[in-house]
């Protein structure tokens, strides 16, 4: 597939890109900083330098054009609620609408374990804008007719990949970013994950087996 991956210089993204390329996909990684192009190209992906906050409807259309799939791993990084809403909510929703218009049927959203309207985060908490943004974006994606999958990894670590996860956990734990990258590469062309919100921690089940059992 031709995949447009938004948030291409993130830690999870840079681990996912070579896996997707090795699987035979053509990956266009969207980044904001031109100084990061070499990092992206080292993964085997192509770099697209653009600030998604500045895109209008036509700009989004051009960005997603000719894509078969969109993978969203972008995040404002917290700290600034205004930018968080602009990227994690408005940007994500704009990308979904663009994907629908462009015929990019496959959409994989990286969200988080516990995301949703009932996230329970206090408005005074610095995480609130992110939680609200993800709730809105995920809900919008569910309302599209795209072949979507929402991934809900738990607390992210920098541990080495175990290649094993737990998709049946009812409480958030931790999961390595490298395992999240492997999950992205595994679900991208798996129809059994369409229309699913997949929450997971590190665990004991091989990722391919865990995904196949959904």
């Amino acid at each position: 597939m031709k995949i447009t991956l938004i948030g291409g210089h993130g830690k999870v993204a840079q681990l996912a890109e070579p896996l997707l390329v090795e699987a035979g996909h053509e990956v266009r990684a969207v980044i904001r900083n031109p100084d990061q192009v070499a990092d992206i190209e080292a993964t085997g992906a192509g770099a697209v330098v653009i600030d998604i906050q500045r895109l209008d409807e036509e700009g989004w259309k051009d960005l997603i054009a000719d894509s078969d799939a969109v993978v969203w791993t972008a995040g404002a990084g917290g700290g600034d609620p205004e930018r968080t809403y602009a990227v994690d909510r408005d940007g994500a929703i704009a990308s979904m609408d663009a994907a629908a218009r462009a015929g990019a049927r496959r959409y994989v959203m990286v969200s988080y374990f516990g995301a949703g309207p009932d996230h329970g985060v206090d408005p005074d908490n610095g995480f609130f804008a992110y939680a609200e943004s993800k709730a809105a974006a995920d809900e919008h994606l569910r309302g599209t007719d795209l072949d979507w999958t929402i991934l809900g990894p738990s607390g992210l670590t920098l541990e080495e990949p175990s290649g094993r996860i737990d998709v049946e956990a009812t409480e958030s734990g931790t999961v390595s970013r490298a395992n999240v990258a492997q999950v992205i590469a595994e679900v991208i062309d798996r129809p059994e994950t369409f229309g699913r919100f997949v929450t997971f921690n590190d665990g004991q089940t091989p990722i391919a087996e865990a995904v196949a059992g959904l």
Side-chain angles (χ1 to χ4, degrees):
M1 288 187 288
K2 293 181 179 179
I3 301 171
T4 296
L5 190 153
I6 302 170
H9 199 258
K11 291 183 176 69
V12 169
Q14 289 186 80
L15 294 168
E17 285 152 10
L19 300 178
L20 292 166
V21 171
E22 288 165 14
H25 304 296
E26 178 185 331
V27 181
R28 300 165 66 248
V30 179
I31 57 176
R32 187 174 56 161
N33 186 346
D35 294 339
Q36 298 168 346
V37 168
D39 293 340
I40 298 303
E41 292 179 343
T43 72
V48 178
V49 180
I50 199 163
D51 184 351
I52 61 172
Q53 283 188 258
R54 299 181 180 275
L55 291 179
D56 57 13
E57 183 175 317
E58 192 67 22
W60 275 109
K61 178 183 176 182
D62 292 343
L63 180 62
I64 306 296
D66 300 323
S67 300
D68 301 305
V70 174
V71 176
W72 181 279
T73 67
D80 180 353
E82 183 177 350
R83 183 163 186 267
T84 297
Y85 285 119
V87 173
D88 295 284
R89 182 190 64 194
D90 302 341
I93 288 172
S95 75
M96 297 165 198
D97 293 344
R101 290 191 299 268
R105 295 285 314 157
R106 186 68 174 119
Y107 195 108
V108 176
M109 164 62 73
V110 178
S111 188
Y112 71 96
F113 201 120
D118 55 350
H119 54 71
V121 179
D122 190 280
D124 293 332
N125 190 310
F127 190 71
F128 180 77
Y130 181 78
E132 284 285 283
S133 295
K134 279 299 190 185
D138 292 354
E139 191 64 22
H140 187 85
L141 183 55
R142 289 185 175 96
T144 70
D145 63 356
L146 298 170
D147 295 328
W148 58 265
T149 302
I150 301 172
L151 300 180
S154 54
L156 300 175
T157 74
L158 293 172
E159 297 295 322
E160 291 297 312
S162 66
R164 296 171 179 269
I165 57 173
D166 177 6
V167 295
E168 298 182 358
T170 57
E171 294 186 5
S172 176
T174 60
V175 61
S176 71
R177 287 174 170 84
N179 275 350
V180 178
Q182 290 188 19
V183 172
I184 292 170
E186 188 64 38
V187 304
I188 191 70
D189 54 5
R190 289 292 200 100
E192 60 266 41
T193 68
F194 293 179
R196 299 292 299 270
F197 179 31
V198 184
T199 56
F200 58 98
N201 299 324
D202 280 332
Q204 298 301 317
T205 306
I207 288 171
E209 181 181 329
V211 170
L214 290 171

